[in-house]
């Protein structure tokens, strides 16, 4: 990044050379030289910037593809584990255990479907890919049946909502007192309250400073479309309200 900016600045500063010539000796040749030099600098800057941003776009695209592959592999691994367990129960002749295993699989499928139906690509991808990253926080996601946000929010509002949720999850992730290697759970819920959407966060485990945690989450929502509204009796519980009649 610094080398890219340095190159642009060096080219821009180079204009001072023909500009100095025009200052000390103003004639047709120096004026033409200055015009050609400025045009060359502008053309170089335009091409260099375009190539730089194309490179950055390719890097982001590759990173997104890698994240998608990790997510698919993680889900495939989970499904294979479930199928192996189910196959084991069938081989052992345990129909009750087999039925329970099938019910767990159905619940996971139903949850994945409800998450997908939220309709915000950045939010759906974040939730589905969260498990693929090695963190000390486990997300327990709950989505109210039939809840859809795609037709209620603009793409910009959807991205802002995703950003607030990501920052809030990150705040919980780094606010706990768990020992190294321990995993804590955070319940993330989506529900509808009248004409508004409630996004709830409830963390398990001790938090060093609950008031600081709540203050940080409140600051995240400052100037955003959603606000930290409700603090329950549980110090680690926060609800964010997203009004839809904006």
């Amino acid at each position: 990044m610094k080398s890219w900016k340095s190159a642009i600045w060096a080219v821009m500063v180079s204009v001072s050379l023909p500009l100095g010539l025009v200052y000390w000796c103003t004639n047709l040749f120096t004026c033409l030289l200055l015009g050609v030099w400025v045009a060359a600098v502008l053309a170089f800057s335009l091409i260099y910037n375009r190539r730089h941003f194309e490179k950055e776009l390719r890097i982001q695209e590759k990173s997104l593809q890698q994240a998608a592959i990790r997510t698919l592999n993680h889900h495939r691994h989970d499904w294979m584990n479930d199928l192996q367990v189910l196959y084991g129960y069938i081989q052992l002749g345990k129909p009750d255990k087999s039925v329970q295993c099938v019910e767990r699989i159905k619940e996971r499928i139903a949850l994945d479907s409800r998450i997908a139906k939220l309709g915000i690509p950045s939010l759906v991808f974040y939730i589905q890919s969260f498990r693929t990253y090695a963190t000390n926080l486990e997300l327990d996601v709950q989505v109210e049946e039939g809840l859809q946000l795609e037709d209620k929010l603009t793409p910009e509002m959807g991205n802002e909502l995703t950003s607030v949720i990501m920052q809030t999850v990150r705040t919980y992730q780094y606010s706990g007192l768990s020992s190294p290697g321990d995993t804590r759970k955070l319940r993330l819920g989506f529900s509808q309250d009248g004409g508004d959407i409630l996004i709830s966060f409830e963390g398990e485990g001790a938090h060093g400073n609950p008031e600081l945690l709540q203050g940080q989450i409140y600051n995240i929502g400052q100037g955003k479309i959603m606000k930290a509204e409700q603090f329950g009796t549980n110090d680690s519980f926060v609800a964010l309200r997203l009004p839809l009649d904006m």
Side-chain angles (χ1 to χ4, degrees), residues 22-39:
V22 171
Y23 179 78
W24 291 107
C25 180
T26 304
N27 55 46
L28 180 60
F29 173 76
T30 56
C31 289
L32 287 175
L33 178 63
L34 176 61
V36 172
W37 200 295
V38 170

Side-chain angles (χ1 to χ4, degrees), residues 136-138 172-173 175-179 182-187 202-210 213 234-237:
N136 63 340
L137 190 69
E138 175 188 345
Y172 274 96
Q173 182 177 348
S175 67
L177 298 177
S178 58
S179 302
D182 291 346
T183 300
R184 294 181 297 113
K185 180 178 292 187
L186 174 64
R187 294 186 180 88
E202 184 174 5
E204 288 185 355
H207 293 269
N209 190 331
L213 170 67
N234 184 346
D235 290 334
S236 63
F237 178 85

Side-chain angles (χ1 to χ4, degrees):
M1 180 63 73
K2 290 183 178 179
S3 61
W4 165 65
K5 291 183 177 180
S6 299
I8 295 297
W9 275 109
V11 171
M12 298 295 289
V13 170
S14 70
V15 177
S16 60
L17 179 60
L19 189 61
L21 290 175
V22 171
Y23 179 78
W24 291 107
C25 180
T26 304
N27 55 46
L28 180 60
F29 173 76
T30 56
C31 289
L32 287 175
L33 178 63
L34 176 61
V36 172
W37 200 295
V38 170
V41 166
L42 291 176
F44 174 84
S45 300
L46 179 62
I47 295 173
Y48 197 86
N49 279 329
R50 185 176 64 183
R51 289 182 177 177
H52 172 75
F53 287 118
E54 287 176 351
K55 180 180 178 181
E56 289 294 318
L57 184 61
R58 287 195 298 269
I59 293 174
Q60 293 178 6
E61 183 179 0
K62 183 177 180 181
S63 176
L64 182 62
Q65 290 171 345
Q66 291 173 339
I69 291 172
R70 284 197 306 269
T71 302
L72 290 173
N73 286 336
H74 194 281
H75 281 275
R76 179 185 59 82
H77 184 266
D78 287 345
W79 289 121
M80 288 301 298
N81 286 342
D82 289 335
L83 290 175
Q84 288 175 356
V85 171
L86 176 60
Y87 183 65
Y89 286 143
I90 292 174
Q91 282 187 317
L92 294 173
K94 295 184 177 181
D96 292 341
K97 293 291 185 179
S98 300
V99 171
Q100 292 176 9
C101 186
V102 171
E103 289 299 325
R104 287 196 301 269
I105 294 175
K106 287 174 59 179
E107 289 175 3
R108 285 185 51 194
I109 294 174
L111 175 60
D112 286 343
S113 176
R114 291 196 296 273
I115 292 174
K117 287 180 180 178
L118 287 174
I120 301 176
S122 57
L123 178 59
V124 173
F125 184 76
Y126 171 70
I127 294 175
Q128 296 287 26
S129 63
F130 187 85
R131 289 183 296 170
T132 66
Y133 296 96
T135 69
N136 63 340
L137 190 69
E138 175 188 345
L139 272 186
D140 179 13
V141 183
Q142 300 176 357
V143 181
E144 184 179 286
E145 184 68 39
L147 182 61
Q148 296 185 9
L149 300 178
E150 182 178 15
D151 58 344
K152 299 180 176 65
L153 301 177
T154 63
E156 292 76 14
M157 294 169 64
N159 290 333
E160 185 174 302
L161 172 62
T162 302
S163 176
V164 171
I165 292 176
M166 291 174 62
Q167 292 179 63
T168 304
V169 171
R170 193 176 300 116
T171 300
Y172 274 96
Q173 182 177 348
Y174 294 107
S175 67
L177 298 177
S178 58
S179 302
D182 291 346
T183 300
R184 294 181 297 113
K185 180 178 292 187
L186 174 64
R187 294 186 180 88
L188 172 61
F190 296 83
S191 60
Q192 190 155 0
D193 180 27
D196 300 338
I197 299 298
L198 287 182
I199 297 94
S200 61
F201 302 83
E202 184 174 5
E204 288 185 355
H207 293 269
N209 190 331
E211 293 183 358
L212 177 61
L213 170 67
Q214 296 173 358
Q216 289 174 333
I217 296 174
Y218 177 80
N219 290 334
I220 290 172
Q222 288 291 328
K224 303 295 194 306
I225 58 176
M226 56 194 309
K227 304 294 182 182
E229 177 192 70
Q230 175 184 350
F231 297 97
T233 54
N234 184 346
D235 290 334
S236 63
F237 178 85
V238 178
L240 303 177
R241 179 177 292 272
L242 171 63
L244 296 180
D245 55 347
M246 294 176 291

